[in-house]
Amino acid sequence: MFHFFKPILQILTCAAVVFSHATVNAQDSNHGNKKLVVASFGGQLDNVYRNIFKEFEQRYHVAIQWVPGTAPANVAKVTATRNTPEYDLLLTDDINQRLASKAGLLEKIDTHVLSQWNGLPQYAKAKGDDGVAIGAFVTGLYYRSDEFKKRGWAAPTSWNDLFKSEYCGHIGLERASQVYTLNAVIMLADANINQIDRGISRFAELSKCSTVLEPAAAKHEEKIQLGEYLLGVNSSIRALPIALKLHDLKFVLPKEGAVVSSTMVSPVKGAPNAVLAQEFIQWFLSVDAQKVLMTELFYSPVNNEVKIPDALAKAGIPDRETLLKQPKIDGEAVVEQRRVWAQKLERAISK
């Protein structure tokens, strides 16, 4: 699937790594030698983030410390240090970002620094104006086409396909607290949060066919590359970059649809480097950074100036039209109930 767009991918990537960032107004001397501490994700995501920010580090004489973790763990880190903040920035998903916002952990976006703010789509702006999406993605299914062909299995097209008996023992899933798991539970409830108990029950049943529920997306990613799973639940931004290395790995947007999520970046309230944290966010939203996020991590860009090439759209990056067609989920209700649902799911799995 990826061979036909590889030339386009290479051209875009090469163009994107040259960062001009004419919109950044601060001078190098304003910051001196500093360290920015970012609660991040680890794995392939952090590898790309590091490359995006190499010039930022040089320009502002700053060293960025990327502290890997899961989205819920990142919020917990910031919570634990709220009285004497150690983190400057929080990377998380949109649901956990809202939880952090409601807990009063985050600072407002400085729109004087973030010049792109007014041009962003509304879904990219945190409800509390204290965070911004760096890109959108969907949670769907992945599978190994070579192994499926060898076994004579049909490619999965539906969330219901996960329950086929022949797949048992080969499925990759993550823990109850993980965003991809929550998104799967919602879709197993027919995208109706009023039927969430049905989704919880179905996922608990499915978990019996997984050898282990992975504690983090980065660990799941590692095992996919080792060939330990033949199919499973994951996101477009995790599965598609792996498919560049494993050409037989395919990502599927199920016919019932998928939950749309965003990776959010937020400044931490009371951060040691508050001004520089705002400039860090602007760098993520620049055209050049957005192109790298799209071509290397398969994010759907939030900067309106960045268009998805046809080849990358065919590879699986959801364009804005595709995102708008997905089931509409009450995000505020998910924020309010997520922990309760995760606890219910943990109990159901342990039975």
Side-chain angles (χ1 to χ4, degrees), residues 167-189:
Y167 298 164
C168 198
H170 302 288
I171 300 176
L173 302 172
E174 295 176 15
R175 285 183 181 171
S177 60
Q178 293 293 87
V179 65
Y180 304 154
T181 294
L182 174 65
N183 291 345
V185 166
I186 291 172
M187 291 311 303
L188 292 175

Side-chain angles (χ1 to χ4, degrees), residues 1 61 191 229 267 318:
M1 176 175 67
H61 303 294
Y229 299 124

Side-chain angles (χ1 to χ4, degrees), residues 128-175:
D129 292 341
D130 50 10
V132 61
I134 65 170
F137 60 92
V138 292
T139 299
L141 308 177
Y142 68 86
Y143 73 101
R144 288 286 301 269
S145 63
D146 55 339
E147 294 294 335
F148 269 58
K149 184 178 180 180
K150 187 187 302 181
R151 290 167 168 78
W153 296 347
T157 60
S158 164
W159 289 101
N160 295 323
D161 287 342
L162 287 169
F163 295 89
K164 290 183 177 180
S165 59
E166 59 265 35
Y167 298 164
C168 198
H170 302 288
I171 300 176
L173 302 172
E174 295 176 15
R175 285 183 181 171

Side-chain angles (χ1 to χ4, degrees), residues 23-333:
T23 58
V24 179
N25 298 317
Q27 301 298 314
D28 294 357
S29 58
N30 289 349
H31 302 293
N33 295 315
K34 294 183 180 293
K35 179 174 73 173
L36 277 178
V37 183
V38 184
S40 192
F41 302 116
Q44 176 67 8
L45 296 183
D46 277 9
N47 291 337
V48 174
Y49 297 162
R50 284 190 184 93
N51 286 333
I52 286 174
F53 279 90
K54 280 181 179 178
E55 187 180 326
F56 181 93
E57 290 179 300
Q58 294 170 357
R59 179 172 296 194
Y60 293 111
H61 303 294
V62 59
I64 300 175
Q65 181 181 351
W66 304 87
V67 183
T70 64
N74 287 349
V75 176
K77 291 172 190 172
V78 175
T79 302
T81 59
R82 68 184 304 166
N83 293 329
T84 53
E86 297 177 7
Y87 294 90
D88 296 290
L89 294 131
L90 170 68
L91 276 163
T92 185
D93 60 78
D94 44 351
I95 300 301
N96 276 287
Q97 192 280 340
R98 186 65 183 141
L99 290 171
S101 176
K102 291 167 78 71
L105 299 173
L106 308 176
E107 189 59 72
K108 297 282 187 182
I109 294 293
D110 185 342
T111 56
H112 293 98
V113 175
L114 190 66
S115 57
Q116 302 96 329
W117 180 260
N118 290 334
L120 295 174
Q122 194 57 42
Y123 74 81
K125 302 176 182 180
K127 188 171 183 178
D129 292 341
D130 50 10
V132 61
I134 65 170
F137 60 92
V138 292
T139 299
L141 308 177
Y142 68 86
Y143 73 101
R144 288 286 301 269
S145 63
D146 55 339
E147 294 294 335
F148 269 58
K149 184 178 180 180
K150 187 187 302 181
R151 290 167 168 78
W153 296 347
T157 60
S158 164
W159 289 101
N160 295 323
D161 287 342
L162 287 169
F163 295 89
K164 290 183 177 180
S165 59
E166 59 265 35
Y167 298 164
C168 198
H170 302 288
I171 300 176
L173 302 172
E174 295 176 15
R175 285 183 181 171
S177 60
Q178 293 293 87
V179 65
Y180 304 154
T181 294
L182 174 65
N183 291 345
V185 166
I186 291 172
M187 291 311 303
L188 292 175
D190 299 323
N192 183 350
I193 60 174
N194 294 320
Q195 298 179 16
I196 199 68
D197 286 343
R198 179 172 183 268
I200 288 172
S201 176
R202 296 189 73 202
F203 190 93
E205 176 189 349
L206 183 63
S207 70
K208 296 173 184 176
C209 281
S210 183
T211 55
V212 62
L213 296 182
E214 297 299 341
K219 190 65 177 176
H220 192 176
E221 178 183 287
E222 177 185 318
K223 289 190 177 181
I224 292 172
Q225 294 183 79
L226 290 172
E228 294 189 25
Y229 299 124
L230 301 186
L231 76 160
V233 175
N234 214 312
S235 71
S236 52
I237 58 171
R238 288 284 183 178
L240 290 174
I242 298 173
L244 288 175
K245 304 172 186 176
L246 299 176
H247 298 303
D248 292 309
L249 187 77
K250 310 297 181 184
F251 181 76
V252 176
L253 182 64
K255 63 184 180 182
E256 301 90 350
V259 176
V260 177
S261 302
S262 299
T263 293
M264 307 288 289
V265 60
S266 296
V268 174
K269 184 171 286 186
N273 300 289
V275 174
L276 195 56
Q278 298 282 345
E279 291 167 348
F280 175 101
I281 294 172
Q282 174 174 274
W283 197 274
F284 249 143
L285 272 292
S286 70
V287 168
D288 292 325
Q290 289 280 292
K291 285 182 178 178
V292 174
L293 292 170
M294 175 181 65
T295 58
E296 296 195 24
L297 292 178
F298 293 84
Y299 275 109
S300 178
V302 297
N303 188 319
N304 287 323
E305 295 181 41
V306 180
K307 306 302 179 185
I308 303 174
D310 290 343
L312 294 181
K314 289 177 182 177
I317 297 181
D319 58 20
R320 198 158 295 175
E321 183 180 352
T322 300
L323 294 177
L324 291 173
K325 290 178 180 178
Q326 301 313 304
K328 302 298 183 291
I329 309 297
D330 185 346
E332 197 66 19

